[in-house]
Amino acid sequence: MTGPGAITVLCAVLGPAEADVVRSLGEPGTGVTVTRRCADLTELLAAAEAGSGRTAVVSATLPGLGREAVARMHQAGVRVVALDEAPEPSTDRLAAVGADGVARTVEDLLPVVRDETIVPPAAAAQPPGGSVARTGRGRLVAVWGPVGAPGRTTTAIELAVALAAGPSAADAPGRHRRANLLARRGALGPVRRRAPGGGSRASRGQAREQVVLADADTYGPCVAPRLGMLDDSAGLAGAVRAAGVGPLDVETLARHAPVTLPGVRVLGGIGRPGRWAELSGAALDAVWERLRDLADWTVIDTGPVLETDELLSYDTRAPQRNAATLGALAAADVVVVVGGGDPIGLQRLVRGLDDLATVPAPITPDRLVVVNRVRAAAVGANPRMSVRAALTRFAGVDAHLVPDDPAGLDAALLSGRTLSECAPGSPVRAAFGELAQQVRQVVRARSSAAADTSPWVGIPAASRG
Ligand SMILES: Nc1ncnc2c1ncn2[C@@H]1O[C@H](COP(=O)(O)OP(=O)(O)OP(=O)(O)O)[C@@H](O)[C@H]1O
Ligand SMILES: [Mg+2]
């Protein structure tokens, strides 16, 4: 029976130590009651989520014990105490996955279990992106846009390349970042990517800043093939797996993200959309945060869907297909919203901006709206003015306009290259270069603690709100 005020314990300890733990914790006068003896992690999670105990005592080697499992127990309001009797303690791994306490022997367990100062982090369900504290200095830019292939991937790729080229003379911040230093010291591994046909693209040209281009689209991942990458290594999924079971160091992360273009590492997507469940949860949030230590900028290509049904079920345990997109949006310092420059694309963009405003994840107010493929053939004479007028009227926002250049983009698609490699004179390339400068300006404004908290960048104050 559970005594009044007793600490209820769910026990998932392997081997002969299990009986010792149950006996030792359950002795009269300890103030502890073992309410469930669990055979494995699945049973433990079910008991935690059913509210059968307040503290989980687990073997440090319990199969499946990782960041995701600990996050689920925390969400259920259960703190996690690990029994780690191995000669080589795995303290770092246990801390990285979120364990609240560690005991080296069965005898040491009781004081840790009874320590009332150990409390699980907020018991409430966390929306994607909310479970990891921000650490590094690099910036995250999420590229999102509604369905209809408005150009999210094109924007992400070209923006990454433009950011790697560094700020214009007027924008240069005049300081070096850790990633640059690490890269110069050769600490982040060799250049792995080879361009089709021979020489290394990655070593050609000048990069002034380090960028990671990450593919988090769980519907149509294609960054790697768009860049002619031959391997289907699903680097982002690999990084998530690594983050799920222990500390994710920058060097491991770098191994999953080969340098593909000058200054640009690519963290490839899941290859087949059916693998979407691999991109979610607390481990993905940890990857986004660790990327801040690897690169000056991380540009994330996201999926188009911000599914309302899934949003309603944040507090369930089922993996969610859109969690990768929502987590990226929540982690980002700047969100670039891309819409297509035709009547349908603009209508979807207006609705998409509304949808973004209502997702429950905490998304930065620093957003830049891009209208891509702006052309007279789709919106009539004077397309730039028409697009701007429509967006101001229906969404109250201004936009950065990118022209249509089928020849340039088709050449890029055909060759698996970027515009700077195969169509350097394309006006689209110039437009994305300007977008990169706008992203820098937004970040600079934010970091200099600008008072402007408007959700819409570049909109005159009179038109806001
Ligand atoms: N400014 C442009 N001019 C001409 N073609 C473009 C332009 N931007 C993108 N495209 C072409 O439009 C197509 C869709 O672009 P992209 O793949 O970037 O869209 P997306 O939003 O990522 O689509 P998906 O929903 O498939 O992820 C591609 O063939 C691309 O080459
Ligand atoms: Mg895409």
Side-chain angles (χ1 to χ4, degrees):
M1 256 188 51
T2 309
I7 296 170
T8 47
V9 165
L10 309 170
C11 183
V13 172
L14 304 172
E18 199 261 359
D20 296 340
V21 168
V22 173
R23 195 176 322 111
S24 131
L25 292 180
E27 274 178 9
T30 57
V32 174
T33 304
V34 178
T35 50
R36 188 74 72 86
R37 298 169 76 167
C38 306
D40 54 23
L41 182 66
T42 308
E43 190 179 347
L44 174 66
L45 290 172
E49 282 159 5
S52 305
R54 222 165 90 194
T55 301
V57 173
V58 298
S59 290
T61 52
L62 186 69
L65 183 72
R67 202 184 289 260
E68 206 59 51
V70 173
R72 279 177 63 176
M73 285 188 267
H74 285 166
Q75 285 183 3
V78 173
R79 58 191 182 154
V80 179
V81 174
L83 174 62
D84 182 15
E85 293 183 297
E88 284 291 313
S90 36
T91 319
D92 287 352
R93 177 177 66 83
L94 292 167
V97 301
D100 304 293
V102 179
R104 294 284 290 143
T105 65
V106 174
E107 292 69 42
D108 294 341
L109 260 179
L110 185 60
V112 182
V113 168
R114 289 173 58 174
D115 184 350
E116 297 288 345
T117 61
I118 301 176
V119 286
Q126 292 267 17
S131 59
V132 182
R134 188 173 161 173
T135 54
R137 297 197 304 171
R139 304 296 183 159
L140 263 55
V141 182
V143 178
W144 180 80
V147 293
R152 292 183 311 277
T153 303
T154 303
T155 302
I157 290 172
E158 295 300 327
L159 179 59
V161 171
L163 287 169
S168 64
D171 280 338
R175 58 196 160 98
H176 300 288
R177 290 187 187 278
R178 172 178 150 76
N180 272 328
L181 293 173
L182 283 171
R184 250 177 256 129
R185 280 194 239 122
L188 298 181
V191 170
R192 278 177 31 201
R193 173 73 181 87
R194 291 256 153 202
S200 166
R201 294 154 82 180
S203 56
R204 275 185 226 142
Q206 287 295 312
R208 293 168 62 189
E209 294 196 297
Q210 303 299 312
V211 179
V212 171
L213 172 59
D215 190 349
D217 186 344
T218 49
Y219 290 85
C222 66
V223 169
R226 281 281 289 267
L227 292 174
M229 291 173 75
L230 307 175
D231 54 348
D232 184 17
S233 54
L236 183 54
V240 169
R241 270 195 302 280
V245 295
L248 179 64
D249 57 66
V250 173
E251 287 73 18
T252 304
L253 193 49
R255 276 199 297 279
H256 288 288
V259 180
T260 301
L261 299 162
V264 181
R265 292 176 175 276
V266 173
L267 205 43
I270 44 179
R272 280 175 297 116
R275 292 175 62 185
W276 61 265
E278 293 176 44
L279 298 187
S280 67
L284 183 55
D285 296 340
V287 171
W288 296 142
E289 285 312 314
R290 180 55 81 205
L291 282 165
R292 295 181 188 277
D293 296 318
L294 174 62
D296 301 302
W297 299 94
T298 296
V299 179
I300 310 169
D301 184 17
T302 67
V305 188
L306 309 170
E307 194 72 64
T308 309
D309 284 351
E310 289 192 339
L311 297 177
L312 292 175
S313 60
Y314 264 169
D315 57 348
T316 72
R317 308 296 166 239
Q320 295 172 16
R321 185 164 197 165
N322 305 330
T325 294
L326 294 164
L329 289 169
D333 300 284
V334 180
V335 172
V336 173
V337 184
V338 186
D342 58 81
I344 304 300
L346 289 170
Q347 194 182 52
R348 286 176 172 154
L349 175 60
V350 170
R351 289 201 193 124
L353 290 168
D354 274 353
D355 292 345
L356 257 193
T358 55
V359 297
I363 299 177
T364 174
D366 290 334
R367 297 169 204 174
L368 290 163
V369 178
V370 171
V371 179
N372 187 27
R373 308 196 68 173
V374 174
R375 57 204 188 275
V379 286
N382 208 340
R384 295 178 67 86
M385 219 173 75
S386 309
V387 166
R388 282 223 158 88
L391 276 183
T392 307
R393 179 160 173 213
F394 295 109
V397 301
D398 197 2
H400 182 72
L401 307 184
V402 177
D404 192 33
D405 177 15
L409 268 296
D410 283 349
L413 264 187
L414 181 66
S415 60
R417 290 176 177 257
T418 65
L419 289 175
S420 60
E421 293 173 303
C422 70
S426 167
V428 172
R429 181 181 174 225
F432 284 120
E434 286 159 21
L435 179 67
Q437 302 312 327
Q438 287 190 21
V439 168
R440 290 178 194 286
Q441 281 164 21
V442 169
V443 164
R444 211 173 32 246
R446 178 63 63 183
S447 45
S448 63
D452 184 359
T453 53
S454 162
W456 304 113
V457 176
I459 314 300
S463 339
R464 290 174 192 156

PDB file of all heavy atoms in Angstrom, residues 112-131:
ATOM      1  N   VAL A 112      19.026   9.694  -3.080  1.00  0.00           N
ATOM      2  CA  VAL A 112      18.747  10.380  -4.361  1.00  0.00           C
ATOM      3  C   VAL A 112      17.243  10.371  -4.632  1.00  0.00           C
ATOM      4  O   VAL A 112      16.658  11.385  -5.014  1.00  0.00           O
ATOM      5  CB  VAL A 112      19.516   9.705  -5.532  1.00  0.00           C
ATOM      6  CG1 VAL A 112      19.267  10.458  -6.834  1.00  0.00           C
ATOM      7  CG2 VAL A 112      21.000   9.632  -5.231  1.00  0.00           C
ATOM      8  N   VAL A 113      16.613   9.207  -4.390  1.00  0.00           N
ATOM      9  CA  VAL A 113      15.174   9.109  -4.619  1.00  0.00           C
ATOM     10  C   VAL A 113      14.415  10.049  -3.687  1.00  0.00           C
ATOM     11  O   VAL A 113      13.412  10.654  -4.067  1.00  0.00           O
ATOM     12  CB  VAL A 113      14.712   7.641  -4.423  1.00  0.00           C
ATOM     13  CG1 VAL A 113      13.188   7.550  -4.372  1.00  0.00           C
ATOM     14  CG2 VAL A 113      15.257   6.775  -5.540  1.00  0.00           C
ATOM     15  N   ARG A 114      14.928  10.184  -2.450  1.00  0.00           N
ATOM     16  CA  ARG A 114      14.207  11.031  -1.481  1.00  0.00           C
ATOM     17  C   ARG A 114      14.533  12.508  -1.594  1.00  0.00           C
ATOM     18  O   ARG A 114      13.923  13.329  -0.914  1.00  0.00           O
ATOM     19  CB  ARG A 114      14.522  10.546  -0.060  1.00  0.00           C
ATOM     20  CG  ARG A 114      13.855   9.212   0.228  1.00  0.00           C
ATOM     21  CD  ARG A 114      14.277   8.650   1.540  1.00  0.00           C
ATOM     22  NE  ARG A 114      13.997   9.552   2.653  1.00  0.00           N
ATOM     23  CZ  ARG A 114      14.178   9.237   3.927  1.00  0.00           C
ATOM     24  NH1 ARG A 114      14.640   8.035   4.256  1.00  0.00           N
ATOM     25  NH2 ARG A 114      13.912  10.080   4.872  1.00  0.00           N
ATOM     26  N   ASP A 115      15.502  12.838  -2.422  1.00  0.00           N
ATOM     27  CA  ASP A 115      15.926  14.241  -2.525  1.00  0.00           C
ATOM     28  C   ASP A 115      14.821  15.084  -3.179  1.00  0.00           C
ATOM     29  O   ASP A 115      14.617  15.047  -4.395  1.00  0.00           O
ATOM     30  CB  ASP A 115      17.211  14.320  -3.362  1.00  0.00           C
ATOM     31  CG  ASP A 115      17.764  15.739  -3.415  1.00  0.00           C
ATOM     32  OD1 ASP A 115      17.058  16.671  -2.979  1.00  0.00           O
ATOM     33  OD2 ASP A 115      18.898  15.905  -3.898  1.00  0.00           O
ATOM     34  N   GLU A 116      14.114  15.820  -2.353  1.00  0.00           N
ATOM     35  CA  GLU A 116      12.962  16.595  -2.860  1.00  0.00           C
ATOM     36  C   GLU A 116      13.388  17.750  -3.756  1.00  0.00           C
ATOM     37  O   GLU A 116      12.565  18.357  -4.438  1.00  0.00           O
ATOM     38  CB  GLU A 116      12.128  17.151  -1.689  1.00  0.00           C
ATOM     39  CG  GLU A 116      11.499  16.085  -0.807  1.00  0.00           C
ATOM     40  CD  GLU A 116      10.343  15.352  -1.486  1.00  0.00           C
ATOM     41  OE1 GLU A 116       9.852  15.842  -2.512  1.00  0.00           O
ATOM     42  OE2 GLU A 116       9.947  14.288  -0.979  1.00  0.00           O
ATOM     43  N   THR A 117      14.679  18.067  -3.739  1.00  0.00           N
ATOM     44  CA  THR A 117      15.107  19.179  -4.611  1.00  0.00           C
ATOM     45  C   THR A 117      15.195  18.732  -6.063  1.00  0.00           C
ATOM     46  O   THR A 117      15.294  19.557  -6.972  1.00  0.00           O
ATOM     47  CB  THR A 117      16.489  19.723  -4.178  1.00  0.00           C
ATOM     48  OG1 THR A 117      17.447  18.664  -4.303  1.00  0.00           O
ATOM     49  CG2 THR A 117      16.455  20.235  -2.747  1.00  0.00           C
ATOM     50  N   ILE A 118      15.191  17.417  -6.273  1.00  0.00           N
ATOM     51  CA  ILE A 118      15.226  16.941  -7.660  1.00  0.00           C
ATOM     52  C   ILE A 118      13.800  16.897  -8.181  1.00  0.00           C
ATOM     53  O   ILE A 118      12.983  16.098  -7.720  1.00  0.00           O
ATOM     54  CB  ILE A 118      15.854  15.532  -7.756  1.00  0.00           C
ATOM     55  CG1 ILE A 118      17.281  15.540  -7.217  1.00  0.00           C
ATOM     56  CG2 ILE A 118      15.824  15.035  -9.191  1.00  0.00           C
ATOM     57  CD1 ILE A 118      17.927  14.164  -7.191  1.00  0.00           C
ATOM     58  N   VAL A 119      13.512  17.754  -9.105  1.00  0.00           N
ATOM     59  CA  VAL A 119      12.160  17.757  -9.684  1.00  0.00           C
ATOM     60  C   VAL A 119      12.294  17.667 -11.196  1.00  0.00           C
ATOM     61  O   VAL A 119      13.254  18.183 -11.763  1.00  0.00           O
ATOM     62  CB  VAL A 119      11.382  19.050  -9.323  1.00  0.00           C
ATOM     63  CG1 VAL A 119      10.937  19.043  -7.886  1.00  0.00           C
ATOM     64  CG2 VAL A 119      12.199  20.276  -9.648  1.00  0.00           C
ATOM     65  N   PRO A 120      11.352  16.987 -11.840  1.00  0.00           N
ATOM     66  CA  PRO A 120      11.435  16.926 -13.301  1.00  0.00           C
ATOM     67  C   PRO A 120      11.161  18.290 -13.896  1.00  0.00           C
ATOM     68  O   PRO A 120      10.430  19.089 -13.301  1.00  0.00           O
ATOM     69  CB  PRO A 120      10.336  15.928 -13.685  1.00  0.00           C
ATOM     70  CG  PRO A 120       9.381  15.947 -12.548  1.00  0.00           C
ATOM     71  CD  PRO A 120      10.176  16.294 -11.317  1.00  0.00           C
ATOM     72  N   PRO A 121      11.728  18.584 -15.057  1.00  0.00           N
ATOM     73  CA  PRO A 121      11.396  19.837 -15.721  1.00  0.00           C
ATOM     74  C   PRO A 121       9.889  19.877 -15.965  1.00  0.00           C
ATOM     75  O   PRO A 121       9.233  18.837 -15.919  1.00  0.00           O
ATOM     76  CB  PRO A 121      12.151  19.769 -17.047  1.00  0.00           C
ATOM     77  CG  PRO A 121      13.122  18.651 -16.900  1.00  0.00           C
ATOM     78  CD  PRO A 121      12.632  17.752 -15.823  1.00  0.00           C
ATOM     79  N   ALA A 122       9.392  21.083 -16.248  1.00  0.00           N
ATOM     80  CA  ALA A 122       7.945  21.308 -16.412  1.00  0.00           C
ATOM     81  C   ALA A 122       7.190  20.083 -16.885  1.00  0.00           C
ATOM     82  O   ALA A 122       7.498  19.508 -17.909  1.00  0.00           O
ATOM     83  CB  ALA A 122       7.731  22.444 -17.391  1.00  0.00           C
ATOM     84  N   ALA A 123       6.200  19.694 -16.113  1.00  0.00           N
ATOM     85  CA  ALA A 123       5.461  18.480 -16.428  1.00  0.00           C
ATOM     86  C   ALA A 123       4.567  18.650 -17.650  1.00  0.00           C
ATOM     87  O   ALA A 123       4.200  17.685 -18.281  1.00  0.00           O
ATOM     88  CB  ALA A 123       4.611  18.074 -15.235  1.00  0.00           C
ATOM     89  N   ALA A 124       4.259  19.890 -17.986  1.00  0.00           N
ATOM     90  CA  ALA A 124       3.349  20.112 -19.106  1.00  0.00           C
ATOM     91  C   ALA A 124       3.992  19.652 -20.404  1.00  0.00           C
ATOM     92  O   ALA A 124       5.201  19.663 -20.549  1.00  0.00           O
ATOM     93  CB  ALA A 124       3.021  21.588 -19.212  1.00  0.00           C
ATOM     94  N   ALA A 125       3.145  19.234 -21.345  1.00  0.00           N
ATOM     95  CA  ALA A 125       3.662  18.816 -22.646  1.00  0.00           C
ATOM     96  C   ALA A 125       4.375  19.980 -23.318  1.00  0.00           C
ATOM     97  O   ALA A 125       3.899  21.103 -23.298  1.00  0.00           O
ATOM     98  CB  ALA A 125       2.504  18.357 -23.526  1.00  0.00           C
ATOM     99  N   GLN A 126       5.518  19.690 -23.879  1.00  0.00           N
ATOM    100  CA  GLN A 126       6.302  20.720 -24.551  1.00  0.00           C
ATOM    101  C   GLN A 126       5.969  20.700 -26.029  1.00  0.00           C
ATOM    102  O   GLN A 126       6.007  19.652 -26.644  1.00  0.00           O
ATOM    103  CB  GLN A 126       7.790  20.399 -24.409  1.00  0.00           C
ATOM    104  CG  GLN A 126       8.300  20.518 -23.012  1.00  0.00           C
ATOM    105  CD  GLN A 126       8.872  21.906 -22.782  1.00  0.00           C
ATOM    106  OE1 GLN A 126       8.596  22.820 -23.555  1.00  0.00           O
ATOM    107  NE2 GLN A 126       9.633  22.067 -21.756  1.00  0.00           N
ATOM    108  N   PRO A 127       5.726  21.847 -26.629  1.00  0.00           N
ATOM    109  CA  PRO A 127       5.606  21.847 -28.075  1.00  0.00           C
ATOM    110  C   PRO A 127       6.979  21.599 -28.686  1.00  0.00           C
ATOM    111  O   PRO A 127       7.990  21.774 -28.007  1.00  0.00           O
ATOM    112  CB  PRO A 127       5.116  23.267 -28.394  1.00  0.00           C
ATOM    113  CG  PRO A 127       5.544  24.092 -27.239  1.00  0.00           C
ATOM    114  CD  PRO A 127       5.604  23.175 -26.057  1.00  0.00           C
ATOM    115  N   PRO A 128       7.050  21.174 -29.960  1.00  0.00           N
ATOM    116  CA  PRO A 128       8.341  20.957 -30.563  1.00  0.00           C
ATOM    117  C   PRO A 128       9.196  22.208 -30.426  1.00  0.00           C
ATOM    118  O   PRO A 128       8.704  23.327 -30.523  1.00  0.00           O
ATOM    119  CB  PRO A 128       8.003  20.708 -32.040  1.00  0.00           C
ATOM    120  CG  PRO A 128       6.606  20.240 -32.037  1.00  0.00           C
ATOM    121  CD  PRO A 128       5.942  20.917 -30.872  1.00  0.00           C
ATOM    122  N   GLY A 129      10.459  21.995 -30.208  1.00  0.00           N
ATOM    123  CA  GLY A 129      11.387  23.125 -30.139  1.00  0.00           C
ATOM    124  C   GLY A 129      11.495  23.724 -28.773  1.00  0.00           C
ATOM    125  O   GLY A 129      12.342  24.579 -28.527  1.00  0.00           O
ATOM    126  N   GLY A 130      10.677  23.282 -27.840  1.00  0.00           N
ATOM    127  CA  GLY A 130      10.696  23.957 -26.551  1.00  0.00           C
ATOM    128  C   GLY A 130      11.469  23.237 -25.466  1.00  0.00           C
ATOM    129  O   GLY A 130      11.467  23.659 -24.331  1.00  0.00           O
ATOM    130  N   SER A 131      12.151  22.129 -25.832  1.00  0.00           N
ATOM    131  CA  SER A 131      12.692  21.301 -24.771  1.00  0.00           C
ATOM    132  C   SER A 131      14.185  21.467 -24.530  1.00  0.00           C
ATOM    133  O   SER A 131      14.734  20.824 -23.671  1.00  0.00           O
ATOM    134  CB  SER A 131      12.397  19.835 -25.077  1.00  0.00           C
ATOM    135  OG  SER A 131      12.973  19.479 -26.302  1.00  0.00           O
TER     136      SER A 131
END
